[in-house]
Amino acid sequence: MTLICFSASSQSTANLYWARYFNQLHFNDKWSWQNEMDERRSIQPDHQRQFIIHSYGNFRPNSRTDIAAGITASWVTNTKNLTVPEIRFFQSVNYQIAKLGKSEIQVRFRLEERFFHNTDAQKTDLTEGYNFKFRTRYRIQFQRSSNNQNWTVRIADEIMYHTDSDDVWRFDQNRIYAGVERKLTKQLGLEIGYMLLHGLSNDKIVHSNNLRTTLYHRIGLK
């Protein structure tokens, strides 16, 4: 796991739940298109924190490598109850570094070009234009399927850095995740998991406990 040390003025903790729909359209063994919709809400009080959509194409040059590129639209509601839009382009490479039976270890490296809508100094109103940040993400993931492949366990750790006007490589956040997927039908699967997220925002340490549910919808078009 990745260990991060902070020196920040204050801390905050939040409890959230994430509800995600993950759609995969498989054209053939090499090409697919994937779409994700993710609703992220605070538990108490119940209100929307973020709604995010990803859409991207995937190419598998071989059985161990997956290359993807796409676009993200995000709407984050800040502490002033202002919803701030973001447009994001990204590219990623996922590589299987080890496989033993039903177990495998994967690593993923992702680049993100992020455009945030400008706000005023108080962050209470949107203003004209966008500001840009570049982010890198590195994830290592272990997963193991049951012999009949009806159950899959996943454990992952992801660390992110972004560019900043004062610091070229500034720590953004770290996500540690554990979840279990149950295959419901040939096309559908349901995953329930827990994510511990900690990050740095405006020199404030942010921790959040996240319960995440994911409905996987895999559709073969070949």
PDB file of all heavy atoms in Angstrom, residues 136-153:
ATOM      1  N   THR A 136      -1.549  12.884 -13.013  1.00  0.00           N
ATOM      2  CA  THR A 136      -1.102  11.522 -13.271  1.00  0.00           C
ATOM      3  C   THR A 136      -1.665  10.608 -12.191  1.00  0.00           C
ATOM      4  O   THR A 136      -1.788  11.000 -11.028  1.00  0.00           O
ATOM      5  CB  THR A 136       0.429  11.414 -13.284  1.00  0.00           C
ATOM      6  OG1 THR A 136       0.942  11.814 -12.004  1.00  0.00           O
ATOM      7  CG2 THR A 136       1.021  12.302 -14.362  1.00  0.00           C
ATOM      8  N   ARG A 137      -2.000   9.376 -12.588  1.00  0.00           N
ATOM      9  CA  ARG A 137      -2.568   8.401 -11.660  1.00  0.00           C
ATOM     10  C   ARG A 137      -1.877   7.055 -11.866  1.00  0.00           C
ATOM     11  O   ARG A 137      -1.688   6.606 -13.008  1.00  0.00           O
ATOM     12  CB  ARG A 137      -4.082   8.249 -11.897  1.00  0.00           C
ATOM     13  CG  ARG A 137      -4.852   9.522 -11.767  1.00  0.00           C
ATOM     14  CD  ARG A 137      -6.296   9.417 -12.208  1.00  0.00           C
ATOM     15  NE  ARG A 137      -7.053   8.408 -11.480  1.00  0.00           N
ATOM     16  CZ  ARG A 137      -8.386   8.401 -11.410  1.00  0.00           C
ATOM     17  NH1 ARG A 137      -9.093   9.359 -12.015  1.00  0.00           N
ATOM     18  NH2 ARG A 137      -9.024   7.462 -10.746  1.00  0.00           N
ATOM     19  N   TYR A 138      -1.530   6.420 -10.762  1.00  0.00           N
ATOM     20  CA  TYR A 138      -0.920   5.088 -10.821  1.00  0.00           C
ATOM     21  C   TYR A 138      -1.685   4.165  -9.881  1.00  0.00           C
ATOM     22  O   TYR A 138      -1.856   4.480  -8.702  1.00  0.00           O
ATOM     23  CB  TYR A 138       0.553   5.141 -10.425  1.00  0.00           C
ATOM     24  CG  TYR A 138       1.213   3.780 -10.395  1.00  0.00           C
ATOM     25  CD1 TYR A 138       1.612   3.161 -11.576  1.00  0.00           C
ATOM     26  CD2 TYR A 138       1.412   3.102  -9.197  1.00  0.00           C
ATOM     27  CE1 TYR A 138       2.201   1.901 -11.559  1.00  0.00           C
ATOM     28  CE2 TYR A 138       2.000   1.847  -9.165  1.00  0.00           C
ATOM     29  CZ  TYR A 138       2.390   1.253 -10.352  1.00  0.00           C
ATOM     30  OH  TYR A 138       2.963   0.007 -10.326  1.00  0.00           O
ATOM     31  N   ARG A 139      -2.136   3.027 -10.419  1.00  0.00           N
ATOM     32  CA  ARG A 139      -2.917   2.074  -9.617  1.00  0.00           C
ATOM     33  C   ARG A 139      -2.339   0.678  -9.738  1.00  0.00           C
ATOM     34  O   ARG A 139      -1.950   0.241 -10.825  1.00  0.00           O
ATOM     35  CB  ARG A 139      -4.368   2.049 -10.094  1.00  0.00           C
ATOM     36  CG  ARG A 139      -5.286   1.168  -9.246  1.00  0.00           C
ATOM     37  CD  ARG A 139      -6.668   1.044  -9.859  1.00  0.00           C
ATOM     38  NE  ARG A 139      -6.653   0.191 -11.057  1.00  0.00           N
ATOM     39  CZ  ARG A 139      -7.702  -0.014 -11.851  1.00  0.00           C
ATOM     40  NH1 ARG A 139      -8.836   0.613 -11.597  1.00  0.00           N
ATOM     41  NH2 ARG A 139      -7.605  -0.796 -12.910  1.00  0.00           N
ATOM     42  N   ILE A 140      -2.280  -0.027  -8.618  1.00  0.00           N
ATOM     43  CA  ILE A 140      -1.959  -1.448  -8.620  1.00  0.00           C
ATOM     44  C   ILE A 140      -3.155  -2.187  -8.058  1.00  0.00           C
ATOM     45  O   ILE A 140      -3.755  -1.753  -7.064  1.00  0.00           O
ATOM     46  CB  ILE A 140      -0.670  -1.751  -7.821  1.00  0.00           C
ATOM     47  CG1 ILE A 140      -0.339  -3.253  -7.922  1.00  0.00           C
ATOM     48  CG2 ILE A 140      -0.769  -1.262  -6.383  1.00  0.00           C
ATOM     49  CD1 ILE A 140       1.041  -3.594  -7.425  1.00  0.00           C
ATOM     50  N   GLN A 141      -3.552  -3.284  -8.713  1.00  0.00           N
ATOM     51  CA  GLN A 141      -4.776  -3.991  -8.327  1.00  0.00           C
ATOM     52  C   GLN A 141      -4.562  -5.499  -8.346  1.00  0.00           C
ATOM     53  O   GLN A 141      -3.983  -6.052  -9.283  1.00  0.00           O
ATOM     54  CB  GLN A 141      -5.918  -3.626  -9.272  1.00  0.00           C
ATOM     55  CG  GLN A 141      -7.222  -4.390  -9.019  1.00  0.00           C
ATOM     56  CD  GLN A 141      -8.375  -3.909  -9.869  1.00  0.00           C
ATOM     57  OE1 GLN A 141      -8.991  -2.884  -9.588  1.00  0.00           O
ATOM     58  NE2 GLN A 141      -8.670  -4.641 -10.942  1.00  0.00           N
ATOM     59  N   PHE A 142      -5.043  -6.150  -7.289  1.00  0.00           N
ATOM     60  CA  PHE A 142      -5.065  -7.612  -7.213  1.00  0.00           C
ATOM     61  C   PHE A 142      -6.508  -8.059  -7.332  1.00  0.00           C
ATOM     62  O   PHE A 142      -7.405  -7.473  -6.711  1.00  0.00           O
ATOM     63  CB  PHE A 142      -4.483  -8.087  -5.878  1.00  0.00           C
ATOM     64  CG  PHE A 142      -4.752  -9.540  -5.591  1.00  0.00           C
ATOM     65  CD1 PHE A 142      -3.940 -10.525  -6.117  1.00  0.00           C
ATOM     66  CD2 PHE A 142      -5.842  -9.913  -4.804  1.00  0.00           C
ATOM     67  CE1 PHE A 142      -4.194 -11.871  -5.854  1.00  0.00           C
ATOM     68  CE2 PHE A 142      -6.108 -11.248  -4.546  1.00  0.00           C
ATOM     69  CZ  PHE A 142      -5.275 -12.231  -5.065  1.00  0.00           C
ATOM     70  N   GLN A 143      -6.745  -9.107  -8.117  1.00  0.00           N
ATOM     71  CA  GLN A 143      -8.093  -9.669  -8.181  1.00  0.00           C
ATOM     72  C   GLN A 143      -8.023 -11.187  -8.306  1.00  0.00           C
ATOM     73  O   GLN A 143      -7.082 -11.737  -8.888  1.00  0.00           O
ATOM     74  CB  GLN A 143      -8.919  -9.072  -9.314  1.00  0.00           C
ATOM     75  CG  GLN A 143      -8.512  -9.437 -10.720  1.00  0.00           C
ATOM     76  CD  GLN A 143      -9.477  -8.841 -11.746  1.00  0.00           C
ATOM     77  OE1 GLN A 143      -9.942  -7.709 -11.610  1.00  0.00           O
ATOM     78  NE2 GLN A 143      -9.801  -9.614 -12.766  1.00  0.00           N
ATOM     79  N   ARG A 144      -9.020 -11.827  -7.739  1.00  0.00           N
ATOM     80  CA  ARG A 144      -9.095 -13.286  -7.788  1.00  0.00           C
ATOM     81  C   ARG A 144     -10.540 -13.695  -8.012  1.00  0.00           C
ATOM     82  O   ARG A 144     -11.454 -13.199  -7.338  1.00  0.00           O
ATOM     83  CB  ARG A 144      -8.574 -13.913  -6.495  1.00  0.00           C
ATOM     84  CG  ARG A 144      -8.676 -15.435  -6.472  1.00  0.00           C
ATOM     85  CD  ARG A 144      -8.077 -16.047  -5.225  1.00  0.00           C
ATOM     86  NE  ARG A 144      -8.284 -17.487  -5.181  1.00  0.00           N
ATOM     87  CZ  ARG A 144      -7.539 -18.388  -5.817  1.00  0.00           C
ATOM     88  NH1 ARG A 144      -6.496 -17.965  -6.530  1.00  0.00           N
ATOM     89  NH2 ARG A 144      -7.785 -19.671  -5.729  1.00  0.00           N
ATOM     90  N   SER A 145     -10.740 -14.591  -8.976  1.00  0.00           N
ATOM     91  CA  SER A 145     -12.070 -15.100  -9.289  1.00  0.00           C
ATOM     92  C   SER A 145     -12.234 -16.497  -8.717  1.00  0.00           C
ATOM     93  O   SER A 145     -11.267 -17.246  -8.546  1.00  0.00           O
ATOM     94  CB  SER A 145     -12.287 -15.136 -10.806  1.00  0.00           C
ATOM     95  OG  SER A 145     -12.158 -13.852 -11.369  1.00  0.00           O
ATOM     96  N   SER A 146     -13.490 -16.848  -8.408  1.00  0.00           N
ATOM     97  CA  SER A 146     -13.790 -18.202  -7.957  1.00  0.00           C
ATOM     98  C   SER A 146     -13.652 -19.168  -9.131  1.00  0.00           C
ATOM     99  O   SER A 146     -13.560 -18.762 -10.293  1.00  0.00           O
ATOM    100  CB  SER A 146     -15.197 -18.263  -7.374  1.00  0.00           C
ATOM    101  OG  SER A 146     -16.158 -17.895  -8.353  1.00  0.00           O
ATOM    102  N   ASN A 147     -13.665 -20.448  -8.847  1.00  0.00           N
ATOM    103  CA  ASN A 147     -13.477 -21.444  -9.901  1.00  0.00           C
ATOM    104  C   ASN A 147     -14.569 -21.368 -10.962  1.00  0.00           C
ATOM    105  O   ASN A 147     -14.297 -21.582 -12.154  1.00  0.00           O
ATOM    106  CB  ASN A 147     -13.438 -22.844  -9.288  1.00  0.00           C
ATOM    107  CG  ASN A 147     -12.165 -23.081  -8.487  1.00  0.00           C
ATOM    108  OD1 ASN A 147     -11.129 -22.457  -8.759  1.00  0.00           O
ATOM    109  ND2 ASN A 147     -12.241 -23.955  -7.493  1.00  0.00           N
ATOM    110  N   ASN A 148     -15.799 -21.046 -10.565  1.00  0.00           N
ATOM    111  CA  ASN A 148     -16.881 -20.920 -11.546  1.00  0.00           C
ATOM    112  C   ASN A 148     -17.027 -19.487 -12.063  1.00  0.00           C
ATOM    113  O   ASN A 148     -17.929 -19.196 -12.833  1.00  0.00           O
ATOM    114  CB  ASN A 148     -18.206 -21.400 -10.960  1.00  0.00           C
ATOM    115  CG  ASN A 148     -18.605 -20.630  -9.710  1.00  0.00           C
ATOM    116  OD1 ASN A 148     -18.001 -19.600  -9.361  1.00  0.00           O
ATOM    117  ND2 ASN A 148     -19.615 -21.118  -9.016  1.00  0.00           N
ATOM    118  N   GLN A 149     -16.136 -18.589 -11.598  1.00  0.00           N
ATOM    119  CA  GLN A 149     -16.080 -17.175 -12.017  1.00  0.00           C
ATOM    120  C   GLN A 149     -17.338 -16.388 -11.672  1.00  0.00           C
ATOM    121  O   GLN A 149     -17.587 -15.324 -12.235  1.00  0.00           O
ATOM    122  CB  GLN A 149     -15.787 -17.078 -13.519  1.00  0.00           C
ATOM    123  CG  GLN A 149     -14.421 -17.627 -13.899  1.00  0.00           C
ATOM    124  CD  GLN A 149     -14.071 -17.374 -15.347  1.00  0.00           C
ATOM    125  OE1 GLN A 149     -14.937 -17.211 -16.200  1.00  0.00           O
ATOM    126  NE2 GLN A 149     -12.786 -17.330 -15.642  1.00  0.00           N
ATOM    127  N   ASN A 150     -18.129 -16.882 -10.722  1.00  0.00           N
ATOM    128  CA  ASN A 150     -19.315 -16.146 -10.292  1.00  0.00           C
ATOM    129  C   ASN A 150     -18.968 -15.067  -9.269  1.00  0.00           C
ATOM    130  O   ASN A 150     -19.747 -14.137  -9.062  1.00  0.00           O
ATOM    131  CB  ASN A 150     -20.361 -17.102  -9.702  1.00  0.00           C
ATOM    132  CG  ASN A 150     -21.084 -17.898 -10.775  1.00  0.00           C
ATOM    133  OD1 ASN A 150     -21.157 -17.470 -11.927  1.00  0.00           O
ATOM    134  ND2 ASN A 150     -21.600 -19.055 -10.414  1.00  0.00           N
ATOM    135  N   TRP A 151     -17.825 -15.217  -8.614  1.00  0.00           N
ATOM    136  CA  TRP A 151     -17.377 -14.246  -7.618  1.00  0.00           C
ATOM    137  C   TRP A 151     -15.987 -13.748  -7.970  1.00  0.00           C
ATOM    138  O   TRP A 151     -15.131 -14.512  -8.406  1.00  0.00           O
ATOM    139  CB  TRP A 151     -17.338 -14.872  -6.221  1.00  0.00           C
ATOM    140  CG  TRP A 151     -18.670 -15.275  -5.686  1.00  0.00           C
ATOM    141  CD1 TRP A 151     -19.288 -16.485  -5.836  1.00  0.00           C
ATOM    142  CD2 TRP A 151     -19.565 -14.473  -4.914  1.00  0.00           C
ATOM    143  NE1 TRP A 151     -20.504 -16.497  -5.209  1.00  0.00           N
ATOM    144  CE2 TRP A 151     -20.705 -15.274  -4.625  1.00  0.00           C
ATOM    145  CE3 TRP A 151     -19.519 -13.170  -4.434  1.00  0.00           C
ATOM    146  CZ2 TRP A 151     -21.774 -14.792  -3.884  1.00  0.00           C
ATOM    147  CZ3 TRP A 151     -20.592 -12.698  -3.675  1.00  0.00           C
ATOM    148  CH2 TRP A 151     -21.699 -13.504  -3.411  1.00  0.00           C
ATOM    149  N   THR A 152     -15.762 -12.444  -7.787  1.00  0.00           N
ATOM    150  CA  THR A 152     -14.436 -11.853  -8.002  1.00  0.00           C
ATOM    151  C   THR A 152     -14.137 -10.886  -6.870  1.00  0.00           C
ATOM    152  O   THR A 152     -14.952 -10.019  -6.557  1.00  0.00           O
ATOM    153  CB  THR A 152     -14.364 -11.105  -9.349  1.00  0.00           C
ATOM    154  OG1 THR A 152     -14.663 -12.006 -10.415  1.00  0.00           O
ATOM    155  CG2 THR A 152     -12.963 -10.526  -9.566  1.00  0.00           C
ATOM    156  N   VAL A 153     -12.967 -11.045  -6.257  1.00  0.00           N
ATOM    157  CA  VAL A 153     -12.505 -10.157  -5.189  1.00  0.00           C
ATOM    158  C   VAL A 153     -11.454  -9.213  -5.769  1.00  0.00           C
ATOM    159  O   VAL A 153     -10.557  -9.654  -6.508  1.00  0.00           O
ATOM    160  CB  VAL A 153     -11.905 -10.955  -4.017  1.00  0.00           C
ATOM    161  CG1 VAL A 153     -11.330 -10.016  -2.957  1.00  0.00           C
ATOM    162  CG2 VAL A 153     -12.954 -11.869  -3.405  1.00  0.00           C
TER     163      VAL A 153
END
